[in-house]
């Protein structure tokens, strides 16, 4: 019996993008071409601010954990010394927060673990965190940036929410940037809570 000849190898086809949509950031390709040319897929969530024609309200806060204000997470008594902010949603909606640390100083080469929490503490500063106070939160991770997202509504007490950001351990110093993306505008930009405010 004569064996069938093996199929001829297919020649790769070049990927052609439509010329009229070069700036659209979108193109189509077959699944076969996709798996042939790509091994990994990274999905990035992007937001477009209202001032740039988008639908998200952006708020940016710059800060630092230095000296006494490098209080660590709420596992430590010194947590109340961390910088904290009031956040006052105007109405219920989605919120996405990022905490990004800049340069850090510490004993190791690894970035300190960082985390963020949005809490309903009746407008008070955070010292302890109780489960029923957590609106949204991130995990503490040894990474340059952490995120948290969820549904946020004005507090039933009428007081603003408390935004808490920290390193995990006290004494880890770093600069940081907090960015809040809110579906609806806040009543006012995030306001630094005075160190003399009530602590809960």
């Amino acid at each position: 019996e004569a064996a069938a000849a093996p199929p001829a190898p297919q020649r790769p086809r070049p990927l052609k993008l439509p010329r009229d949509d070069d700036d659209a950031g979108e193109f189509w390709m077959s699944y076969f071409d996709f798996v042939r040319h790509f091994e990994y897929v990274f999905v990035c969530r992007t937001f477009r601010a209202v001032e740039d024609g988008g639908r998200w309200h952006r708020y940016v806060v710059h800060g630092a954990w230095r000296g006494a204000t490098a209080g660590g997470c709420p596992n430590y008594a010194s947590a109340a010394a961390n910088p904290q902010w009031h956040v006052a949603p105007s109405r219920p909606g989605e919120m996405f927060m990022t905490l990004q640390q800049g340069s850090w100083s510490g004993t190791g080469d690894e970035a300190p673990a960082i985390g963020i929490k949005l809490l309903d503490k009746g407008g008070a500063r955070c010292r302890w965190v109780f489960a029923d106070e957590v609106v949204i939160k991130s995990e503490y991770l040894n990474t340059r940036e952490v995120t948290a997202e969820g549904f946020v509504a004005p507090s039933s007490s009428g007081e603003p929410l408390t935004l808490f950001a920290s390193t995990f351990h006290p004494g880890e110093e770093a600069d940081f940037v907090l960015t809040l993306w809110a579906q609806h505008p806040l009543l006012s930009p995030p306001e630094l809570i005075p160190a003399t405010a009530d602590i809960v």
Side-chain angles (χ1 to χ4, degrees), residues 125-162:
R125 290 179 63 83
C126 174
R127 162 55 193 98
W128 306 104
V129 175
F130 301 98
D132 63 344
E133 297 173 331
V134 176
V135 179
I136 54 176
K137 69 174 187 165
S138 74
E139 299 297 323
Y140 278 87
L141 299 172
N142 291 89
T143 184
R144 180 151 185 213
E145 182 175 352
V146 293
T147 63
E149 66 180 304
F151 188 80
V152 176
S155 172
S156 59
S157 70
E159 296 293 332
L161 303 174
T162 300

Side-chain angles (χ1 to χ4, degrees), residues 44-48 56:
C44 300
R45 186 166 184 187
T46 59
F47 296 91
R48 192 167 179 196
W56 291 91

Side-chain angles (χ1 to χ4, degrees), residues 108-127:
D109 293 331
E110 191 173 70
I114 57 173
I116 47 177
K117 301 175 189 319
L118 188 61
L119 307 165
D120 190 349
K121 298 189 78 63
R125 290 179 63 83
C126 174
R127 162 55 193 98

Side-chain angles (χ1 to χ4, degrees), residues 6-200:
Q10 290 188 351
R11 184 172 168 216
R13 293 173 292 168
L15 177 63
K16 293 183 180 179
L17 298 176
R19 297 228 182 254
D20 58 346
D21 287 338
D22 285 343
D23 294 329
E26 298 178 1
F27 61 92
W28 179 91
M29 69 184 336
S30 71
Y31 177 77
F32 173 79
D33 285 339
F34 181 81
V35 297
R36 182 181 184 100
H37 295 285
F38 298 98
E39 293 181 19
Y40 302 101
V41 175
F42 296 93
V43 178
C44 300
R45 186 166 184 187
T46 59
F47 296 91
R48 192 167 179 196
V50 169
E51 59 266 22
D52 298 326
R55 66 179 194 94
W56 291 91
H57 300 270
R58 176 180 51 201
Y59 302 91
V60 179
V61 174
H62 296 267
W65 300 294
R66 297 271 183 262
T69 66
C73 76
N75 293 355
Y76 301 94
S78 55
N82 284 300
Q84 300 176 41
W85 295 265
H86 280 149
V87 173
S90 60
R91 61 184 195 248
E94 295 294 320
M95 185 176 287
F96 186 88
M97 305 185 308
T98 65
L99 170 61
Q100 183 180 61
Q101 62 181 319
S103 59
W104 62 85
S105 61
T107 56
D109 293 331
E110 191 173 70
I114 57 173
I116 47 177
K117 301 175 189 319
L118 188 61
L119 307 165
D120 190 349
K121 298 189 78 63
R125 290 179 63 83
C126 174
R127 162 55 193 98
W128 306 104
V129 175
F130 301 98
D132 63 344
E133 297 173 331
V134 176
V135 179
I136 54 176
K137 69 174 187 165
S138 74
E139 299 297 323
Y140 278 87
L141 299 172
N142 291 89
T143 184
R144 180 151 185 213
E145 182 175 352
V146 293
T147 63
E149 66 180 304
F151 188 80
V152 176
S155 172
S156 59
S157 70
E159 296 293 332
L161 303 174
T162 300
L163 178 57
F164 179 88
S166 74
T167 60
F168 188 82
H169 297 288
E172 295 178 315
E173 298 185 344
D175 297 319
F176 62 85
V177 177
L178 274 164
T179 305
L180 280 67
W181 296 93
Q183 182 180 7
H184 304 294
L186 301 178
L187 292 177
S188 62
E191 297 175 16
L192 189 64
I193 305 174
T196 56
D198 290 341
I199 298 173
V200 178

